[in-house]
């Protein structure tokens, strides 16, 4: 189940991990959407599926990954979520609410 969720998230193109992940001590080994997207653009790079330990060992991680990750998380856009309230007639009244996910 976790493998399926991770695979789907990595193919969304939306980075869910925090700002400092790519440069963190352990976080740089976690694969997210940015790391996997680079693999699709440069198929000879970023072979890791869930962690990038072997990419580090064999020198196959894209050298621009950390910088690309910083750029991706810096331009995050706000989420729009739908909030619904029940009405007296049994239908729902819905409206979009913006949630800012950009790190401070």
């Amino acid at each position: 189940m976790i493998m399926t969720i991770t695979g789907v998230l990595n193919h969304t193109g939306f980075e869910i991990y925090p700002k400092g992940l790519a440069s963190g001590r352990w976080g740089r080994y976690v694969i997210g959407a940015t790391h996997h997207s680079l693999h699709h653009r440069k198929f000879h790079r970023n072979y890791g599926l869930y962690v990038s330990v072997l990419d580090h060992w064999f020198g196959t991680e894209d050298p621009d990954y950390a910088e690309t990750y910083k750029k991706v998380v810096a331009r995050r856009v706000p989420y729009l979520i739908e909030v619904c309230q029940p009405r007296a007639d049994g239908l729902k009244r819905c409206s979009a609410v913006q949630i800012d996910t950009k790190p401070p």
Side-chain angles (χ1 to χ4, degrees), residues 26-95:
W26 299 106
R28 63 189 176 132
Y29 296 108
V30 175
I31 291 178
T34 304
H35 193 276
H36 194 70
S37 178
L38 284 170
H39 167 72
H40 283 280
R41 282 191 263 151
K42 303 174 182 181
F43 62 90
H44 59 285
R45 296 283 187 193
N46 298 359
Y47 293 110
L49 190 55
Y50 304 106
V51 292
S52 63
V53 173
L54 294 178
D55 282 325
H56 285 273
W57 286 354
F58 293 110
T60 56
E61 183 169 68
D62 190 307
D64 299 327
Y65 166 61
E67 190 60 35
T68 303
Y69 184 88
K70 288 178 190 175
K71 290 177 183 176
V72 168
V73 296
R75 67 174 187 246
R76 285 185 180 160
V77 295
Y79 279 113
L80 288 178
I81 62 169
E82 188 175 48
V83 176
C84 298
Q85 297 174 339
R87 296 186 336 190
D89 60 4
L91 298 174
K92 294 180 182 176
R93 180 175 183 234
C94 299
S95 58

Side-chain angles (χ1 to χ4, degrees), residues 1-12 36 49-50:
M1 181 71 150
I2 292 174
M3 291 170 36
T4 301
I5 292 169
T6 302
V8 170
L9 289 174
N10 286 348
H11 282 95
T12 63
H36 194 70
L49 190 55
Y50 304 106

